[in-house]
Amino acid sequence: APLPAILTTDLRLNVPRYASLPNIMKAKKKPLVKMTVADLGVDIKPRLQTLKIAEPPKRQGGKLVESVDELVDKLKNEAKVL
């Protein structure tokens, strides 16, 4: 769909619909057609390429502080939070 677009859903979106017995019996009578990828005209070659695999750096250990004032000071100066 061209953008901008509006999508709406219903509250019953994730509620399964169960098949009734007559529909199950009808489905059993229908022929099952097997198709290959070539019949569908779909290209299944992989399109992703792995460039690099690396482990993330090890986390540093935490630091214990003796008081709330020291914690606030570290947050302001080292972590630049406040």
Side-chain angles (χ1 to χ4, degrees):
L3 295 178
I6 296 176
L7 300 175
T8 60
T9 60
D10 191 358
L11 292 174
R12 296 176 300 271
L13 179 67
N14 291 326
V15 178
R17 296 185 307 165
Y18 297 103
S20 63
L21 183 61
N23 288 337
I24 293 172
M25 298 307 285
K26 288 178 189 175
K28 285 184 177 181
K29 294 178 183 175
K30 287 187 179 181
L32 183 61
V33 178
K34 293 185 180 181
M35 300 178 83
T36 64
V37 176
D39 295 339
L40 298 174
V42 178
D43 181 21
I44 60 168
K45 72 174 186 176
R47 291 181 177 83
L48 297 178
Q49 188 178 37
T50 304
L51 300 177
K52 180 179 175 182
I53 297 176
E55 288 188 27
K58 299 288 183 188
R59 294 183 68 179
Q60 297 177 354
K63 297 179 183 177
L64 293 176
V65 292
E66 298 296 326
S67 66
V68 175
D69 294 330
E70 187 180 350
L71 174 64
V72 171
D73 182 55
K74 285 191 181 287
L75 286 173
K76 281 183 181 178
N77 298 326
E78 292 180 20
K80 308 263 190 273
V81 174
L82 300 174

